[in-house]
């Protein structure tokens, strides 16, 4: 049974549905549209907030279903998904929720992909393909053609986890062959193709169901700021970057404890370290809390010392984006920001029942205690009303382990006598630990409420005050792909042993020219003005003739099972090498052979019809004067099913083996999948064979459907 709200939650209607949803996926922009995923792989869609449901597809991979991305995908009703085809492989496909039949599903990647590898995030789509013992990772930028992701030649990735894709750049964590509980952090060019390392040995933790958590956190509110836990020689230490990974520094320890007494922790032997864990409960904060509408405010659990200690979870707060810190509690607390961070609510993370919460209206400098209930409750979570400006929150929990939920509403509006005016704010200039004002190419100033101003920021509050671009310097550049930072001179990038800066790019065509890299790449989203002499030593080269490499063949916009007489368009993709002077020999597997010239340049379609059912091997060979490459695929041509008959003896004894047989017409319909329901159980038996032996243990009925 499904309950839905028909008018912003004020009333609910009970909707009866004929499936059991495992996951609901709401459209990010259109609130009335949602997807429902079932454990058996069926995916349903609704365009009226759950009143009516339509089966989109079966054999869909859980957690590999994505709504369209606004501004990137053309149609808001488009759904991206990973699904299993009839041969057992997995494909990346898209369809519209109005019509998602097999004929209307569009394959977006040529060939099969690895199970559980599809990720659609912002401008990017990621998949991976394993052939033998070699895995390749592919990316599509703004839904263009997929390109193989390029890591340093010495990188042999066991696993890749996407960390961030905002601001036209991919941050990812890559686990090398020699790493077991750490990953290396890389960042990309705007298209997400070429990657350079920015931090080594970031700690990781493997969760149940093979999920991996990487100890890196993007600080919300100010772009380019990240926290990470680095593990070196068995010791874990927290580091922070203000320029999107170019430079990392440890966290400066506070000068006093929460009682104002001096602490003995002094750099460089002692720093502040934070736990960067996500909460298992979605209704409580993780160990570090930041918010877009509260720039500069970071609150987290950790400890002082030479390394991070697992059992120490004191609470620390920073009002200047990690530059300075103050201790506020001796134990971990769940945190909630209200009114753009104007009110910070803290409830102790404990297994015992509580009746008090703490709140601060001066960014954690002083704390007040509030009895939110007369009877102690086990706190299950904290929720705020929609909107960053809200001052109303709800504590929900239970009095005993057998009781229902208790909801307690807490309204902080009475604590403030008035709305803030401009005179209630000060300006705060964003700087890093070295007092550098020009960060990511600009000086940024934010508005902050004065500690003595007891007023509500409200809905009209904006934190950004001024942005002033700076003159470009060496610090505004990272090392380009194939280069790494010199250990002697941190502002100098030198070519790696495996990289030739004068080598041509992979899409270089004979007769064209290209510029060799000088080793420096301006940081993406950096807004500095003027160019230092980083690009002046680049050289112009003529493109040589390159052999074809990375050839792939697939079917445009269709699954790999088609009917006799269907119009089929084959597509050929070549990852590397000159295409303008390459000859392509195509063998379609049914005796038809042809030769194309400049196939991947002219986009001339390879169109064909198969007259008879069967499995056909399609082979393409690309060849020019520099070398050749080959690619093959198999296509299944299946006649549509017309009839099905079930053959079984009408009477059988208990515990006697019986032959169950399904007869289909036409008889040459190959690779038909049969779904058998036996008895009143809704559990399905999936078979590729048209007959099997079954032993009845009770009175039973049977049906089989192909």
């Amino acid at each position: 049974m499904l309950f839905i709200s028909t008018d912003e939650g004020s009333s609910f209607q009970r909707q009866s549905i004929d499936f059991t949803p495992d996951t609901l996926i709401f459209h990010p922009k259109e609130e009335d549209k949602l997807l429902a995923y079932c454990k058996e792989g069926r995916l349903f869609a609704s365009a009226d907030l759950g009143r009516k449901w339509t089966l989109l597809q079966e054999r869909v991979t859980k957690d590999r279903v994505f709504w369209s991305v606004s501004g990137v995908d053309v149609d808001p009703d488009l759904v991206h998904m990973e699904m299993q085809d009839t041969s057992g492989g997995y494909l990346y496909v898209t369809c519209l929720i109005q019509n998602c039949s097999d004929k209307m599903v569009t394959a977006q990647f040529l060939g099969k992909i690895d199970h559980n590898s599809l990720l659609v995030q912002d401008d990017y789509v990621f998949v991976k393909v394993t052939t033998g013992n070699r895995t390749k990772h592919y990316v599509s930028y703004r839904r263009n053609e997929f390109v193989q992701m390029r890591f340093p030649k010495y990188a042999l990735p066991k696993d890749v986890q996407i960390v961030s894709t905002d601001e036209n750049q991919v941050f990812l964590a890559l686990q090398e062959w020699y790493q077991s509980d750490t990953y290396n952090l890389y960042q990309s060019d705007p298209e997400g193709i070429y990657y350079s390392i920015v931090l080594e040995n970031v700690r990781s933790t493997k969760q149940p169901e093979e999920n991996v958590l990487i100890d890196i956190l993007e600080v919300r509110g100010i772009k380019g700021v990240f926290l990470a836990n680095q593990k070196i020689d068995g010791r874990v230490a927290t580091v922070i970057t203000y320029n999107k990974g170019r430079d990392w520094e440890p966290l400066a320890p506070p000068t006093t404890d929460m009682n104002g007494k001096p602490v003995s922790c002094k750099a460089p032997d002692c720093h502040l370290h934070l736990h960067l864990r996500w909460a298992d409960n979605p209704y409580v904060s993780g160990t570090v809390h930041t918010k877009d509408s509260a720039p500069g405010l970071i609150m987290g659990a950790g400890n002082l010392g030479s390394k991070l200690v697992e059992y120490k979870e004191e609470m620390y707060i920073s009002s200047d984006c990690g530059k300075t810190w103050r201790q506020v509690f001796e134990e971990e607390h769940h945190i909630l920001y209200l009114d753009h961070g104007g009110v910070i609510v803290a409830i102790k993370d404990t297994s015992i029942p509580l009746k008090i919460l703490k709140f601060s209206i001066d960014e954690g400098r002083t704390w007040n205690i509030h009895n939110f209930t007369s009877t102690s409750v086990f706190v299950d979570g904290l929720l705020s009303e929609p909107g960053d400006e809200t001052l109303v929150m709800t504590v929900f929990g239970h009095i005993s382990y057998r009781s229902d939920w208790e909801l307690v509403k807490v309204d902080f509006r009475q604590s403030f006598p008035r709305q803030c005016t401009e005179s209630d704010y000060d300006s705060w200039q964003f700087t890093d630990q070295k007092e550098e004002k020009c960060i990511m190419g600009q000086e940024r100033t934010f508005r902050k409420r004065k500690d003595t101003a007891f007023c509500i920021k409200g809905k009209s509050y904006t934190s950004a005050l001024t942005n002033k671009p700076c003159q470009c310097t060496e610090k505004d550049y990272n090392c380009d792909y194939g280069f790494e930072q010199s250990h002697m001179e941190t502002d100098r990038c030198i070519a790696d042993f495996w990289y030739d800066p004068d080598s041509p790019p992979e899409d270089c065509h004979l007769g064209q020219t290209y510029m060799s890299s000088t080793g420096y790449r301006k940081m993406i989203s950096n807004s500095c003005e003027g160019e230092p002499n980083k690009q002046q030593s680049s050289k112009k080269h003529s493109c040589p003739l390159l052999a074809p490499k990375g050839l792939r063949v697939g079917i445009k916009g269709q699954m790999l099972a088609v009917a006799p007489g269907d119009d089929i368009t084959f597509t050929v993709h070549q990852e590397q090498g000159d295409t303008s002077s390459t000859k392509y020999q195509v063998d379609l597997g049914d005796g038809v052979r042809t030769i194309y010239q400049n196939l991947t340049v002219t986009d001339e379609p390879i169109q064909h019809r198969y007259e008879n059912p069967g499995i056909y091997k399609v082979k393409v060979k690309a060849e020019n004067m520099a070398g050749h490459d080959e690619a093959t695929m198999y296509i299944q041509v299946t006649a549509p099913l017309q009839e099905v008959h079930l053959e079984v003896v009408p009477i059988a004894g208990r515990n006697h083996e019986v032959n169950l047989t399904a007869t289909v017409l036409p008889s040459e319909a190959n690779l038909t999948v049969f779904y058998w329901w036996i008895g009143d159980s809704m559990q399905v038996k999936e078979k590729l064979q048209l007959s099997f032996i079954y032993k009845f243990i009770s009175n039973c009925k049977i049906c089989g459907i192909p």
Side-chain angles (χ1 to χ4, degrees), residues 287-307:
T287 51
V288 174
H289 194 58
T290 65
K291 196 171 186 178
D292 288 325
S293 62
L297 199 57
I298 309 174
M299 196 166 179
N303 64 273
L304 301 178
S306 61
K307 63 179 180 179

Side-chain angles (χ1 to χ4, degrees), residues 639-686:
L641 291 175
Q642 299 172 2
E643 295 182 39
V644 58
H645 301 281
L646 186 62
E647 297 179 0
V648 61
V649 294
I651 300 176
R654 291 186 182 181
N655 296 315
H656 287 184
E657 291 184 345
V658 177
N659 185 20
L660 309 179
T661 302
T663 303
V664 297
L665 294 177
S667 58
E668 66 270 14
N670 55 311
L671 287 183
T672 302
V673 180
F674 296 87
Y675 300 93
W676 297 80
W677 286 268
I678 300 176
D680 296 325
S681 172
M682 290 304 294
Q683 257 193 328
V684 63
K685 293 182 180 296
E686 188 173 320

Side-chain angles (χ1 to χ4, degrees), residues 138-308:
Y138 294 90
V139 62
S140 166
Y141 175 65
R142 295 195 67 83
R143 311 305 183 256
N144 293 320
E145 191 172 307
F146 277 91
V147 180
Q148 185 179 350
M149 297 159 68
R150 298 297 179 186
F151 305 114
K153 292 291 185 183
Y154 55 75
L156 299 173
K158 287 195 300 186
D159 185 41
V160 172
Q161 300 286 330
I162 304 300
V163 174
S164 170
T165 54
D166 61 354
E167 294 193 302
N168 287 93
Q169 187 172 46
V170 179
F171 259 54
L172 60 78
L174 182 151
Q175 189 173 52
E176 304 275 7
W177 62 271
Y178 60 85
Q179 294 176 308
S180 58
D181 58 355
T182 58
Y183 282 66
N184 293 338
L185 183 64
Y186 288 79
Q187 63 180 195
S188 74
D189 61 343
E191 288 77 27
I193 301 172
Y194 294 97
Y195 290 83
S196 302
I197 192 166
V198 293
L199 186 65
E200 293 182 305
N201 297 315
V202 179
R203 186 177 68 167
S204 66
T205 307
K206 183 162 284 190
Q207 299 292 104
E209 299 182 2
E210 296 300 307
N211 291 328
V212 177
L213 297 181
I214 313 295
D215 271 22
I216 182 165
L217 182 139
E218 184 173 9
V219 176
R220 298 166 62 183
I222 301 181
K223 292 295 185 181
V225 184
F226 288 80
L227 291 164
N229 280 334
Q230 191 177 32
K231 186 175 183 180
I232 300 177
D233 297 329
R235 299 159 69 96
V236 178
T238 303
V239 290
I240 188 170
T241 179
Y242 294 95
N243 51 18
K244 218 169 185 182
R246 186 189 186 277
D247 303 295
W248 297 85
E249 299 287 344
L251 297 180
T255 56
T256 61
D257 63 14
M258 59 181 294
N259 299 314
K261 296 180 180 180
V263 297
S264 58
C265 181
K266 304 294 181 184
D269 301 319
C270 182
H271 293 94
L272 172 63
H273 309 281
L274 299 177
H275 298 284
L276 304 179
R277 296 194 305 265
W278 296 100
D280 295 331
N281 181 355
Y283 302 109
V284 296
S285 64
T287 51
V288 174
H289 194 58
T290 65
K291 196 171 186 178
D292 288 325
S293 62
L297 199 57
I298 309 174
M299 196 166 179
N303 64 273
L304 301 178
S306 61
K307 63 179 180 179
L308 182 66

